[in-house]
Amino acid sequence: MYVKNRMTKNPVCIDVNSKISEVVDIMNDRELHRIPVVSGKKLVGLVTESMISKQGATKATSLSIYELNYLLSKTSVDAIMIRDVITIHEDRFLEDAALVMFKHDIGCLPVVNDANEVVGILTSNDVLSAFLDILGYRESGSRVCVEVKDELGTIGDVSDIFKRNNCNITHLGVYSQHNGYSDLIIRINTFQTDALEKDLNASGYRVLSITKNPN
Amino acid sequence: MYVKNRMTKNPVCIDVNSKISEVVDIMNDRELHRIPVVSGKKLVGLVTESMISKQGATKATSLSIYELNYLLSKTSVDAIMIRDVITIHEDRFLEDAALVMFKHDIGCLPVVNDANEVVGILTSNDVLSAFLDILGYRESGSRVCVEVKDELGTIGDVSDIFKRNNCNITHLGVYSQHNGYSDLIIRINTFQTDALEKDLNASGYRVLSITKNPN
Protein backbone atom coordinates (compact mmCIF):
# COMPACT_ATOMS: atom_id res chain seq x y z
CA MET A 1 0.00 0.00 0.00
CA TYR A 2 2.99 2.25 -0.45
CA VAL A 3 3.64 4.34 -3.55
CA LYS A 4 6.78 2.32 -4.32
CA ASN A 5 4.71 -0.90 -4.56
CA ARG A 6 2.46 0.39 -7.33
CA MET A 7 4.55 2.91 -9.29
CA THR A 8 6.22 2.25 -12.64
CA LYS A 9 9.92 2.00 -11.83
CA ASN A 10 12.68 3.64 -13.87
CA PRO A 11 10.40 5.84 -15.97
CA VAL A 12 11.51 7.62 -19.13
CA CYS A 13 13.12 10.94 -18.16
CA ILE A 14 14.80 13.57 -20.30
CA ASP A 15 17.84 15.65 -19.62
CA VAL A 16 17.25 19.33 -19.02
CA ASN A 17 19.47 20.18 -22.00
CA SER A 18 17.38 18.14 -24.48
CA LYS A 19 15.74 20.02 -27.33
CA ILE A 20 11.95 20.26 -27.53
CA SER A 21 11.95 18.34 -30.83
CA GLU A 22 13.65 15.38 -29.07
CA VAL A 23 10.92 15.40 -26.41
CA VAL A 24 8.25 15.40 -29.11
CA ASP A 25 9.87 12.35 -30.72
CA ILE A 26 10.05 10.47 -27.40
CA MET A 27 6.43 11.32 -26.57
CA ASN A 28 5.28 10.05 -29.97
CA ASP A 29 7.44 6.90 -29.94
CA ARG A 30 6.58 5.87 -26.37
CA GLU A 31 3.01 7.25 -26.32
CA LEU A 32 3.77 9.41 -23.27
CA HIS A 33 1.92 12.58 -22.35
CA ARG A 34 4.21 13.83 -19.55
CA ILE A 35 7.93 13.36 -18.99
CA PRO A 36 9.99 14.30 -15.90
CA VAL A 37 12.99 16.51 -16.67
CA VAL A 38 16.22 15.66 -14.83
CA SER A 39 19.67 17.05 -14.29
CA GLY A 40 21.76 13.98 -13.59
CA LYS A 41 19.22 11.92 -11.66
CA LYS A 42 17.63 14.88 -9.83
CA LEU A 43 14.18 16.12 -10.79
CA VAL A 44 14.25 19.71 -12.05
CA GLY A 45 11.02 19.97 -14.04
CA LEU A 46 8.17 18.37 -15.92
CA VAL A 47 7.12 18.77 -19.54
CA THR A 48 3.69 17.83 -20.88
CA GLU A 49 2.19 17.38 -24.31
CA SER A 50 -0.04 20.42 -23.84
CA MET A 51 2.92 22.69 -22.92
CA ILE A 52 4.51 21.75 -26.23
CA SER A 53 1.35 22.24 -28.29
CA LYS A 54 0.80 25.63 -26.62
CA GLN A 55 4.39 26.57 -27.44
CA GLY A 56 3.72 25.53 -31.04
CA ALA A 57 0.38 27.39 -31.18
CA THR A 58 1.85 30.65 -29.86
CA LYS A 59 4.67 30.68 -32.37
CA ALA A 60 2.53 29.32 -35.21
CA THR A 61 0.74 32.61 -35.75
CA SER A 62 3.96 34.41 -36.63
CA LEU A 63 6.19 31.68 -38.09
CA SER A 64 6.01 29.24 -40.98
CA ILE A 65 5.97 25.50 -40.19
CA TYR A 66 9.61 25.29 -41.31
CA GLU A 67 10.63 28.13 -39.03
CA LEU A 68 8.65 26.54 -36.18
CA ASN A 69 10.32 23.12 -36.58
CA TYR A 70 13.72 24.80 -36.68
CA LEU A 71 12.92 26.69 -33.48
CA LEU A 72 11.79 23.51 -31.66
CA SER A 73 15.02 21.76 -32.67
CA LYS A 74 17.11 24.60 -31.18
CA THR A 75 15.13 25.37 -27.99
CA SER A 76 15.96 23.45 -24.80
CA VAL A 77 13.20 21.85 -22.78
CA ASP A 78 14.02 24.07 -19.77
CA ALA A 79 12.54 27.03 -21.67
CA ILE A 80 9.03 25.56 -21.45
CA MET A 81 9.04 23.04 -18.58
CA ILE A 82 7.33 23.74 -15.26
CA ARG A 83 9.76 23.92 -12.33
CA ASP A 84 7.32 23.60 -9.41
CA VAL A 85 6.60 19.93 -9.97
CA ILE A 86 4.15 18.22 -7.63
CA THR A 87 5.81 14.95 -6.58
CA ILE A 88 5.26 12.15 -4.08
CA HIS A 89 7.86 10.30 -1.98
CA GLU A 90 8.20 6.58 -2.67
CA ASP A 91 7.53 5.73 1.01
CA ARG A 92 4.18 7.52 1.27
CA PHE A 93 0.85 5.68 1.44
CA LEU A 94 -0.97 5.24 -1.83
CA GLU A 95 -3.96 7.09 -0.35
CA ASP A 96 -1.70 10.13 0.13
CA ALA A 97 -0.87 10.03 -3.57
CA ALA A 98 -4.56 9.70 -4.45
CA LEU A 99 -5.39 12.78 -2.38
CA VAL A 100 -2.62 14.82 -4.00
CA MET A 101 -3.89 13.83 -7.46
CA PHE A 102 -7.46 14.65 -6.47
CA LYS A 103 -6.65 18.03 -4.88
CA HIS A 104 -4.54 19.24 -7.80
CA ASP A 105 -6.64 17.52 -10.50
CA ILE A 106 -3.61 15.82 -12.04
CA GLY A 107 -3.35 12.29 -13.37
CA CYS A 108 0.33 11.61 -12.86
CA LEU A 109 3.00 12.13 -10.18
CA PRO A 110 6.78 11.73 -10.48
CA VAL A 111 7.95 9.59 -7.53
CA VAL A 112 11.12 10.69 -5.74
CA ASN A 113 13.45 9.35 -3.05
CA ASP A 114 15.14 11.23 -0.20
CA ALA A 115 17.70 12.69 -2.63
CA ASN A 116 14.92 14.06 -4.88
CA GLU A 117 15.95 11.59 -7.59
CA VAL A 118 13.20 10.28 -9.86
CA VAL A 119 12.66 6.61 -9.00
CA GLY A 120 9.25 6.11 -10.57
CA ILE A 121 6.07 7.52 -11.95
CA LEU A 122 2.56 6.98 -10.57
CA THR A 123 -0.60 7.54 -12.62
CA SER A 124 -4.23 7.74 -11.54
CA ASN A 125 -4.64 4.43 -13.36
CA ASP A 126 -2.09 2.82 -11.00
CA VAL A 127 -4.12 4.11 -8.06
CA LEU A 128 -7.44 2.93 -9.53
CA SER A 129 -5.90 -0.51 -10.04
CA ALA A 130 -4.69 -0.66 -6.43
CA PHE A 131 -8.09 0.34 -5.10
CA LEU A 132 -9.74 -2.38 -7.20
CA ASP A 133 -7.33 -4.85 -5.56
CA ILE A 134 -8.17 -3.53 -2.08
CA LEU A 135 -11.88 -4.06 -2.79
CA GLY A 136 -11.12 -7.46 -4.35
CA TYR A 137 -12.99 -6.44 -7.45
CA ARG A 138 -11.13 -8.68 -9.87
CA GLU A 139 -11.21 -11.81 -7.70
CA SER A 140 -13.61 -14.70 -8.12
CA GLY A 141 -16.43 -14.79 -5.55
CA SER A 142 -19.48 -12.87 -4.38
CA ARG A 143 -20.00 -9.21 -3.49
CA VAL A 144 -22.45 -8.69 -0.64
CA CYS A 145 -23.67 -5.21 0.20
CA VAL A 146 -25.20 -4.85 3.69
CA GLU A 147 -26.60 -1.73 5.35
CA VAL A 148 -25.50 -1.36 8.98
CA LYS A 149 -25.73 1.21 11.78
CA ASP A 150 -22.51 3.13 12.58
CA GLU A 151 -21.97 1.49 15.99
CA LEU A 152 -19.10 0.06 17.99
CA GLY A 153 -18.57 -3.58 17.08
CA THR A 154 -20.88 -3.73 14.07
CA ILE A 155 -18.17 -5.00 11.73
CA GLY A 156 -17.29 -7.69 14.28
CA ASP A 157 -20.93 -8.77 14.58
CA VAL A 158 -21.40 -8.91 10.82
CA SER A 159 -18.17 -10.81 10.27
CA ASP A 160 -19.26 -13.36 12.92
CA ILE A 161 -22.36 -14.04 10.80
CA PHE A 162 -20.16 -14.60 7.75
CA LYS A 163 -17.87 -16.91 9.75
CA ARG A 164 -20.69 -19.14 11.05
CA ASN A 165 -21.92 -19.53 7.46
CA ASN A 166 -18.41 -20.55 6.32
CA CYS A 167 -18.02 -17.43 4.18
CA ASN A 168 -14.45 -16.13 4.35
CA ILE A 169 -14.33 -12.35 4.04
CA THR A 170 -11.49 -11.48 1.68
CA HIS A 171 -12.24 -7.75 1.33
CA LEU A 172 -14.40 -5.24 3.11
CA GLY A 173 -15.10 -1.62 2.23
CA VAL A 174 -17.21 0.77 4.30
CA TYR A 175 -19.19 3.43 2.52
CA SER A 176 -20.70 5.89 5.01
CA GLN A 177 -24.09 7.33 4.13
CA HIS A 178 -23.44 10.12 6.69
CA ASN A 179 -26.87 9.58 8.31
CA GLY A 180 -25.85 7.08 11.01
CA TYR A 181 -25.82 4.22 8.51
CA SER A 182 -23.11 2.74 6.30
CA ASP A 183 -23.01 0.28 3.42
CA LEU A 184 -20.56 -2.57 3.99
CA ILE A 185 -19.23 -3.86 0.68
CA ILE A 186 -18.00 -7.36 1.49
CA ARG A 187 -16.27 -9.79 -0.85
CA ILE A 188 -16.20 -13.50 -0.07
CA ASN A 189 -14.52 -16.34 -1.97
CA THR A 190 -17.64 -18.46 -2.46
CA PHE A 191 -20.82 -18.39 -4.54
CA GLN A 192 -22.96 -20.11 -1.86
CA THR A 193 -24.76 -17.17 -0.27
CA ASP A 194 -28.35 -18.36 0.36
CA ALA A 195 -27.83 -19.39 3.99
CA LEU A 196 -25.73 -16.29 4.63
CA GLU A 197 -28.41 -13.99 3.24
CA LYS A 198 -31.12 -15.62 5.39
CA ASP A 199 -28.93 -15.36 8.49
CA LEU A 200 -28.12 -11.67 7.83
CA ASN A 201 -31.82 -10.87 7.38
CA ALA A 202 -32.78 -12.88 10.47
CA SER A 203 -30.14 -10.97 12.46
CA GLY A 204 -31.74 -7.67 11.50
CA TYR A 205 -29.35 -6.55 8.78
CA ARG A 206 -30.60 -5.25 5.45
CA VAL A 207 -28.94 -6.97 2.48
CA LEU A 208 -28.91 -4.39 -0.31
CA SER A 209 -27.45 -6.56 -3.07
CA ILE A 210 -25.54 -9.76 -3.77
CA THR A 211 -23.66 -10.13 -7.04
CA LYS A 212 -21.55 -13.07 -8.20
CA ASN A 213 -18.25 -12.58 -9.95
CA PRO A 214 -17.09 -15.79 -11.66
CA ASN A 215 -14.09 -14.12 -13.38
CA MET B 1 -21.47 3.30 -4.45
CA TYR B 2 -23.30 3.62 -7.72
CA VAL B 3 -22.05 5.68 -10.64
CA LYS B 4 -25.05 8.02 -10.33
CA ASN B 5 -24.04 8.92 -6.75
CA ARG B 6 -20.61 10.23 -7.73
CA MET B 7 -20.96 11.54 -11.30
CA THR B 8 -21.29 15.20 -12.29
CA LYS B 9 -24.92 15.60 -13.33
CA ASN B 10 -26.08 17.48 -16.42
CA PRO B 11 -22.63 17.85 -18.01
CA VAL B 12 -21.86 20.21 -20.87
CA CYS B 13 -22.74 18.49 -24.16
CA ILE B 14 -22.64 19.79 -27.70
CA ASP B 15 -25.01 19.22 -30.57
CA VAL B 16 -23.72 17.04 -33.39
CA ASN B 17 -24.22 19.95 -35.83
CA SER B 18 -21.96 22.34 -33.88
CA LYS B 19 -18.88 23.64 -35.63
CA ILE B 20 -15.41 22.69 -34.39
CA SER B 21 -14.63 26.32 -33.59
CA GLU B 22 -17.64 26.44 -31.21
CA VAL B 23 -16.32 23.34 -29.43
CA VAL B 24 -12.90 24.97 -29.09
CA ASP B 25 -14.52 28.04 -27.51
CA ILE B 26 -16.52 25.91 -25.03
CA MET B 27 -13.44 23.85 -24.10
CA ASN B 28 -11.44 27.04 -23.44
CA ASP B 29 -14.21 28.85 -21.55
CA ARG B 30 -15.14 25.88 -19.33
CA GLU B 31 -11.68 24.31 -19.10
CA LEU B 32 -12.96 21.00 -20.48
CA HIS B 33 -10.82 18.42 -22.25
CA ARG B 34 -13.59 16.13 -23.52
CA ILE B 35 -17.22 16.83 -24.45
CA PRO B 36 -19.98 14.32 -25.25
CA VAL B 37 -21.69 14.93 -28.59
CA VAL B 38 -25.48 14.54 -28.62
CA SER B 39 -28.34 14.47 -31.07
CA GLY B 40 -31.30 15.65 -29.02
CA LYS B 41 -30.39 14.07 -25.70
CA LYS B 42 -28.91 10.87 -27.17
CA LEU B 43 -25.18 10.28 -27.12
CA VAL B 44 -23.77 9.98 -30.64
CA GLY B 45 -20.08 10.73 -30.12
CA LEU B 46 -17.26 12.23 -28.10
CA VAL B 47 -14.80 14.95 -29.01
CA THR B 48 -11.53 15.56 -27.18
CA GLU B 49 -8.96 18.32 -27.11
CA SER B 50 -6.36 16.08 -28.73
CA MET B 51 -8.69 15.20 -31.66
CA ILE B 52 -9.01 18.91 -32.35
CA SER B 53 -5.30 19.65 -32.08
CA LYS B 54 -4.54 16.69 -34.35
CA GLN B 55 -7.07 18.01 -36.84
CA GLY B 56 -5.35 21.39 -36.62
CA ALA B 57 -1.86 19.88 -36.94
CA THR B 58 -2.74 17.84 -40.03
CA LYS B 59 -4.19 20.81 -41.86
CA ALA B 60 -1.58 23.25 -40.53
CA THR B 61 1.12 21.93 -42.82
CA SER B 62 -0.82 22.87 -45.95
CA LEU B 63 -2.95 25.84 -44.86
CA SER B 64 -2.34 29.29 -43.42
CA ILE B 65 -3.67 30.05 -39.92
CA TYR B 66 -6.46 32.11 -41.53
CA GLU B 67 -7.48 29.27 -43.81
CA LEU B 68 -7.32 26.87 -40.84
CA ASN B 69 -9.59 29.01 -38.65
CA TYR B 70 -12.04 29.37 -41.53
CA LEU B 71 -12.08 25.61 -41.99
CA LEU B 72 -12.72 24.94 -38.27
CA SER B 73 -15.63 27.40 -38.31
CA LYS B 74 -17.23 25.56 -41.24
CA THR B 75 -16.59 21.92 -40.26
CA SER B 76 -19.12 20.12 -38.06
CA VAL B 77 -17.97 18.22 -35.00
CA ASP B 78 -19.28 14.95 -36.44
CA ALA B 79 -16.42 15.03 -38.96
CA ILE B 80 -13.83 14.46 -36.23
CA MET B 81 -15.69 12.94 -33.24
CA ILE B 82 -15.32 9.29 -32.28
CA ARG B 83 -18.54 7.34 -32.62
CA ASP B 84 -17.69 4.21 -30.59
CA VAL B 85 -17.83 5.97 -27.23
CA ILE B 86 -17.08 3.91 -24.13
CA THR B 87 -19.84 4.74 -21.63
CA ILE B 88 -21.11 3.50 -18.29
CA HIS B 89 -24.73 3.10 -17.14
CA GLU B 90 -25.78 5.28 -14.18
CA ASP B 91 -26.90 2.20 -12.19
CA ARG B 92 -23.56 0.34 -12.36
CA PHE B 93 -21.21 0.00 -9.38
CA LEU B 94 -18.45 2.56 -9.14
CA GLU B 95 -15.91 -0.30 -9.19
CA ASP B 96 -17.24 -1.29 -12.63
CA ALA B 97 -16.53 2.23 -13.87
CA ALA B 98 -13.04 2.11 -12.35
CA LEU B 99 -12.29 -1.15 -14.16
CA VAL B 100 -13.52 0.24 -17.50
CA MET B 101 -11.30 3.31 -17.06
CA PHE B 102 -8.34 1.14 -16.09
CA LYS B 103 -8.78 -1.36 -18.95
CA HIS B 104 -9.13 1.30 -21.64
CA ASP B 105 -6.70 3.76 -20.03
CA ILE B 106 -9.21 6.61 -20.14
CA GLY B 107 -9.86 9.25 -17.50
CA CYS B 108 -13.47 10.07 -18.24
CA LEU B 109 -16.73 8.25 -19.02
CA PRO B 110 -20.04 9.70 -20.23
CA VAL B 111 -22.81 8.28 -18.05
CA VAL B 112 -26.00 7.16 -19.79
CA ASN B 113 -29.48 5.97 -18.80
CA ASP B 114 -31.58 3.19 -20.37
CA ALA B 115 -32.46 5.43 -23.32
CA ASN B 116 -28.75 6.12 -24.03
CA GLU B 117 -29.26 9.74 -23.00
CA VAL B 118 -26.29 11.50 -21.37
CA VAL B 119 -27.18 12.05 -17.69
CA GLY B 120 -23.70 12.68 -16.32
CA ILE B 121 -19.98 12.45 -16.68
CA LEU B 122 -17.60 10.50 -14.44
CA THR B 123 -13.87 11.21 -14.23
CA SER B 124 -11.06 9.20 -12.67
CA ASN B 125 -10.89 11.97 -10.09
CA ASP B 126 -14.50 11.25 -9.04
CA VAL B 127 -13.54 7.60 -8.59
CA LEU B 128 -10.37 8.43 -6.62
CA SER B 129 -12.44 10.66 -4.35
CA ALA B 130 -14.99 7.88 -3.74
CA PHE B 131 -12.25 5.38 -2.91
CA LEU B 132 -10.72 7.84 -0.43
CA ASP B 133 -14.16 8.03 1.22
CA ILE B 134 -14.43 4.23 1.32
CA LEU B 135 -11.06 4.03 3.07
CA GLY B 136 -12.04 6.94 5.36
CA TYR B 137 -8.91 8.76 4.35
CA ARG B 138 -10.19 12.27 4.93
CA GLU B 139 -11.83 11.56 8.29
CA SER B 140 -10.34 12.39 11.67
CA GLY B 141 -8.92 9.40 13.57
CA SER B 142 -6.18 6.78 13.40
CA ARG B 143 -5.08 4.42 10.64
CA VAL B 144 -3.90 1.06 11.91
CA CYS B 145 -2.20 -1.37 9.56
CA VAL B 146 -2.15 -5.00 10.76
CA GLU B 147 -0.72 -8.07 9.04
CA VAL B 148 -3.02 -11.10 9.25
CA LYS B 149 -3.22 -14.63 7.84
CA ASP B 150 -5.81 -15.20 5.10
CA GLU B 151 -8.08 -17.40 7.22
CA LEU B 152 -11.79 -17.83 7.86
CA GLY B 153 -12.90 -15.45 10.59
CA THR B 154 -9.72 -13.38 10.85
CA ILE B 155 -11.52 -10.09 10.28
CA GLY B 156 -14.05 -11.04 12.96
CA ASP B 157 -11.26 -11.87 15.44
CA VAL B 158 -9.41 -8.64 14.74
CA SER B 159 -12.55 -6.54 14.99
CA ASP B 160 -13.34 -8.17 18.37
CA ILE B 161 -9.97 -6.89 19.63
CA PHE B 162 -10.85 -3.38 18.43
CA LYS B 163 -14.27 -3.62 20.09
CA ARG B 164 -12.93 -4.66 23.49
CA ASN B 165 -10.55 -1.68 23.37
CA ASN B 166 -13.45 0.67 22.57
CA CYS B 167 -12.09 1.44 19.12
CA ASN B 168 -14.93 1.77 16.62
CA ILE B 169 -13.87 0.60 13.16
CA THR B 170 -15.19 3.11 10.64
CA HIS B 171 -13.37 1.76 7.57
CA LEU B 172 -11.50 -1.38 6.70
CA GLY B 173 -9.55 -2.22 3.56
CA VAL B 174 -7.86 -5.54 2.84
CA TYR B 175 -4.68 -5.56 0.82
CA SER B 176 -3.67 -9.12 -0.08
CA GLN B 177 0.05 -9.84 -0.24
CA HIS B 178 -0.78 -13.01 -2.25
CA ASN B 179 1.46 -15.14 0.00
CA GLY B 180 -1.16 -16.27 2.49
CA TYR B 181 -1.02 -12.96 4.34
CA SER B 182 -2.92 -9.70 3.98
CA ASP B 183 -2.55 -6.18 5.33
CA LEU B 184 -5.70 -4.88 7.01
CA ILE B 185 -5.92 -1.10 6.74
CA ILE B 186 -8.27 -0.13 9.53
CA ARG B 187 -9.55 3.35 10.37
CA ILE B 188 -10.92 4.15 13.82
CA ASN B 189 -12.43 7.38 15.13
CA THR B 190 -10.07 7.79 18.09
CA PHE B 191 -6.45 8.72 18.75
CA GLN B 192 -6.10 6.44 21.83
CA THR B 193 -4.37 3.42 20.38
CA ASP B 194 -1.80 2.33 23.01
CA ALA B 195 -3.97 -0.31 24.68
CA LEU B 196 -5.21 -1.51 21.29
CA GLU B 197 -1.68 -1.91 19.97
CA LYS B 198 -0.61 -3.92 23.05
CA ASP B 199 -3.67 -6.15 22.77
CA LEU B 200 -3.10 -6.78 19.04
CA ASN B 201 0.54 -7.72 19.68
CA ALA B 202 -0.41 -9.92 22.66
CA SER B 203 -2.98 -11.67 20.46
CA GLY B 204 -0.28 -12.55 17.94
CA TYR B 205 -0.99 -9.94 15.28
CA ARG B 206 1.77 -7.87 13.75
CA VAL B 207 1.02 -4.13 13.81
CA LEU B 208 2.82 -2.68 10.78
CA SER B 209 2.03 1.00 11.36
CA ILE B 210 -0.25 3.38 13.24
CA THR B 211 -0.71 6.91 11.93
CA LYS B 212 -2.91 9.66 13.36
CA ASN B 213 -4.98 11.91 11.15
CA PRO B 214 -6.20 14.99 13.07
CA ASN B 215 -7.74 16.68 9.98
Side-chain angles (χ1 to χ4, degrees):
Chain A
M1 269 306 290
Y2 291 97
V3 166
K4 63 183 165 197
N5 303 131
R6 306 296 302 218
M7 69 186 187
T8 299
K9 285 174 192 168
N10 304 316
V12 174
C13 294
I14 45 160
D15 187 83
V16 66
N17 296 313
S18 308
K19 304 303 172 201
I20 297 176
S21 54
E22 295 174 57
V23 183
V24 172
D25 288 345
I26 294 172
M27 282 185 170
N28 287 337
D29 290 351
R30 311 286 287 258
E31 295 190 3
L32 299 171
H33 307 289
R34 307 168 195 82
I35 304 185
V37 182
V38 290
S39 170
K41 280 182 158 189
K42 305 242 188 232
L43 183 74
V44 294
L46 183 82
V47 64
T48 72
E49 214 173 28
S50 77
M51 283 172 209
I52 294 174
S53 34
K54 269 178 200 156
Q55 174 76 0
T58 316
K59 307 285 186 196
T61 48
S62 53
L63 299 173
S64 75
I65 293 298
Y66 303 103
E67 288 168 325
L68 186 62
N69 282 339
Y70 178 79
L71 191 73
L72 294 183
S73 72
K74 293 290 168 191
T75 311
S76 294
V77 72
D78 76 340
I80 60 161
M81 71 184 189
I82 52 163
R83 288 157 202 279
D84 286 336
V85 187
I86 298 164
T87 61
I88 188 98
H89 193 281
E90 58 178 342
D91 290 332
R92 295 282 292 280
F93 291 133
L94 209 63
E95 301 111 293
D96 294 325
L99 190 65
V100 172
M101 288 179 178
F102 175 73
K103 269 191 180 165
H104 296 278
D105 196 14
I106 48 180
C108 179
L109 291 172
V111 182
V112 293
N113 62 15
D114 288 334
N116 201 35
E117 295 168 347
V118 180
V119 292
I121 202 149
L122 187 80
T123 69
S124 53
N125 240 336
D126 297 326
V127 181
L128 287 186
S129 178
F131 279 131
L132 288 172
D133 286 346
I134 289 172
L135 291 176
Y137 181 80
R138 288 172 286 200
E139 291 172 23
S140 170
S142 306
R143 176 197 196 270
V144 184
C145 189
V146 186
E147 188 181 70
V148 299
K149 273 193 188 164
D150 291 333
E151 282 177 350
L152 180 63
T154 302
I155 289 180
D157 291 346
V158 170
S159 61
D160 286 344
I161 298 173
F162 279 72
K163 186 179 178 185
R164 71 180 176 232
N165 286 282
N166 281 311
C167 295
N168 190 22
I169 296 178
T170 55
H171 298 272
L172 190 155
V174 182
Y175 188 67
S176 175
Q177 300 177 3
H178 298 288
N179 59 359
Y181 286 85
S182 290
D183 293 352
L184 299 186
I185 302 154
I186 300 170
R187 298 235 166 220
I188 52 179
N189 56 2
T190 173
F191 300 109
Q192 315 304 324
T193 56
D194 292 351
L196 172 72
E197 187 175 2
K198 269 185 200 156
D199 198 352
L200 283 167
N201 285 323
S203 306
Y205 292 104
R206 196 167 148 228
V207 178
L208 299 178
S209 65
I210 296 183
T211 49
K212 313 284 167 95
N213 186 19
N215 269 15
Chain B
M1 269 306 290
Y2 292 96
V3 166
K4 61 183 165 196
N5 304 130
R6 306 296 302 216
M7 68 186 187
T8 299
K9 286 176 191 168
N10 304 315
V12 175
C13 294
I14 45 159
D15 187 83
V16 66
N17 296 314
S18 309
K19 304 304 174 200
I20 296 175
S21 54
E22 295 174 57
V23 182
V24 172
D25 289 344
I26 293 172
M27 282 183 169
N28 288 337
D29 290 350
R30 311 286 288 258
E31 295 190 5
L32 300 170
H33 306 289
R34 309 169 195 80
I35 305 185
V37 182
V38 290
S39 171
K41 283 183 157 186
K42 304 240 189 238
L43 182 76
V44 294
L46 183 82
V47 64
T48 71
E49 213 172 30
S50 77
M51 283 172 209
I52 293 174
S53 37
K54 268 177 199 155
Q55 174 77 1
T58 315
K59 306 287 185 194
T61 48
S62 52
L63 298 174
S64 76
I65 293 298
Y66 303 103
E67 288 168 324
L68 186 63
N69 283 339
Y70 178 79
L71 191 73
L72 295 183
S73 72
K74 292 291 168 189
T75 311
S76 293
V77 72
D78 76 339
I80 60 161
M81 71 184 190
I82 51 162
R83 287 155 203 279
D84 286 337
V85 187
I86 298 165
T87 61
I88 188 95
H89 193 282
E90 58 178 342
D91 289 332
R92 294 283 293 278
F93 292 133
L94 209 62
E95 300 112 291
D96 294 326
L99 190 66
V100 171
M101 286 178 178
F102 175 74
K103 269 189 179 165
H104 297 278
D105 195 15
I106 47 179
C108 179
L109 291 172
V111 181
V112 293
N113 61 14
D114 287 335
N116 201 36
E117 295 168 346
V118 180
V119 292
I121 203 148
L122 188 80
T123 69
S124 54
N125 240 337
D126 296 326
V127 180
L128 287 186
S129 178
F131 279 131
L132 288 172
D133 285 346
I134 289 171
L135 291 175
Y137 181 79
R138 287 172 286 200
E139 292 172 24
S140 169
S142 306
R143 175 196 197 270
V144 184
C145 188
V146 186
E147 188 181 69
V148 299
K149 273 194 187 164
D150 291 333
E151 282 176 351
L152 181 63
T154 302
I155 289 180
D157 291 346
V158 171
S159 61
D160 285 345
I161 298 173
F162 279 72
K163 186 180 176 183
R164 71 181 176 231
N165 287 282
N166 282 310
C167 295
N168 190 22
I169 297 178
T170 55
H171 298 272
L172 190 156
V174 183
Y175 189 66
S176 175
Q177 300 177 4
H178 297 290
N179 59 0
Y181 287 85
S182 289
D183 294 351
L184 300 186
I185 302 153
I186 299 171
R187 298 237 166 218
I188 53 179
N189 55 2
T190 174
F191 300 108
Q192 315 305 324
T193 56
D194 292 352
L196 172 73
E197 187 175 2
K198 270 186 202 158
D199 198 352
L200 283 166
N201 284 324
S203 307
Y205 291 105
R206 198 170 147 226
V207 178
L208 299 178
S209 66
I210 296 183
T211 49
K212 313 282 165 98
N213 186 18
N215 268 14

